[in-house]
Amino acid sequence: MADRTIALASDHAGYDLKLELACLVADLGFEPLDLGTHDRESVDYPDFGAELGRAVADGRAALGVLVCGTGIGISIAANRNPAVRAALCHDTTTARLARQHNDANVLSIGARTTGPETAKDILRAFLETPFEGGRHARRVDKLATC
Amino acid sequence: MADRTIALASDHAGYDLKLELACLVADLGFEPLDLGTHDRESVDYPDFGAELGRAVADGRAALGVLVCGTGIGISIAANRNPAVRAALCHDTTTARLARQHNDANVLSIGARTTGPETAKDILRAFLETPFEGGRHARRVDKLATC
């Protein structure tokens, strides 16, 4: 069921953290969909950010999680897709605000800049926080067309 | 001269910090181009992120600086433009890596999550750090087409 499916993708730098986050996704009762990369061989982050963006856009997954060294490059790639709102988060506060205000449907984390326990707390906050709607909805709608 | 011009844009939440960063841009010998917003009245961040993206894409500015509450929403808007590589940075390490590895041409900062002195250090690091090229160039090229 797509609305319980969480897609995950990373480059080589994010591979180990992606595996940890996929376990947490399953522990929290969601269905992880691992779009790669599948080992530590060097790959190009845009390929994986774009593929995860397509998975969210076409409904294969309700939400997505991206990991690269800083979370920056892979989130830029995903945000090329007008259906994606990928939020680079470095703490639980920004994860909460990304859901409340931006209705973010993709979480991006930097494996070289955010430790694994912090990353897991960020993912929990992201999955637990609903969108606030209201005045934020008009702005979110604009992100689909700008 | 566009290659010394740094465009800045923000929503109302980022207005005060944008003014401080525009002063620093001038102090460092660059030419600030302020694309608004121009007061603290509530506005929609996608309008300003998209406009700054156009300014960088069409050569009015060499680089851009974005500020909203978290830096998340306004950077999503800018990254809809395939010529933009907007990096949300929360410290000097990520600012340096965004330039070295992603050739980021837009810096995004959250005014409600990053203090003004930290923000100024981030901007200095962003402006002082060159792109490393090499293996990173292929990945940056892919960001223009994904």
Side-chain angles (χ1 to χ4, degrees), chain A residues 44 79-80 84 138 142, chain B residues 44 47 79-80 84 138:
Chain A
D44 295 343
N79 277 322
R80 298 302 192 214
V84 170
R138 182 184 67 240
K142 284 187 177 184
Chain B
D44 295 343
D47 299 335
N79 278 323
R80 297 303 192 214
V84 170
R138 180 184 68 240

Side-chain angles (χ1 to χ4, degrees), chain B residues 1-5 7 33 52-63 83:
Chain B
M1 219 168 75
D3 66 358
R4 299 298 292 175
T5 300
L33 171 65
L52 185 129
R54 286 189 289 271
V56 169
D58 70 18
R60 275 179 283 156
L63 298 170

Side-chain angles (χ1 to χ4, degrees), chain A residues 44 46-47 49-51 54 76-81, chain B residues 79-85 137-146:
Chain A
D44 295 343
D47 299 335
E51 175 58 16
R54 286 188 288 271
I76 293 174
N79 277 322
R80 298 302 192 214
N81 191 318
Chain B
N79 278 323
R80 297 303 192 214
N81 191 318
V84 170
R85 295 175 298 280
R138 180 184 68 240
R139 297 163 184 165
V140 168
D141 288 346
K142 285 187 178 183
L143 289 176
T145 56
C146 71

Side-chain angles (χ1 to χ4, degrees), chain A residues 3 24 40 43 47 59 63 73 79 97 106 124 136 139 145:
Chain A
D3 66 358
L24 178 59
R40 297 193 191 93
V43 293
D47 299 335
L63 298 170
N79 277 322
L97 289 168
V106 173
R124 273 188 209 95
H136 302 295
R139 297 163 184 162
T145 57

Side-chain angles (χ1 to χ4, degrees), chain A residues 25-84:
Chain A
V25 162
D27 288 347
L28 293 173
F30 295 91
E31 186 71 37
L33 171 65
D34 189 339
L35 300 173
T37 187
H38 296 296
D39 57 39
R40 297 193 191 93
E41 285 289 303
S42 179
V43 293
D44 295 343
Y45 57 79
D47 299 335
F48 294 88
E51 175 58 16
L52 184 129
R54 286 188 288 271
V56 170
D58 69 19
R60 274 178 284 156
L63 298 170
V65 177
L66 293 169
V67 192
C68 70
T70 59
I72 292 171
I74 203 163
S75 63
I76 293 174
N79 277 322
R80 298 302 192 214
N81 191 318
V84 170

Side-chain angles (χ1 to χ4, degrees), chain A residues 3 13-14 24 29 32 44 50 59 65 68 74 88 90 107-109 118 121 129 133 135 144:
Chain A
D3 66 358
L24 178 59
D44 295 343
V65 177
C68 70
I74 203 163
L88 172 60
H90 53 279
L107 169 65
S108 186
I109 299 181
T118 304
D121 284 344
T129 308
R135 71 187 185 284

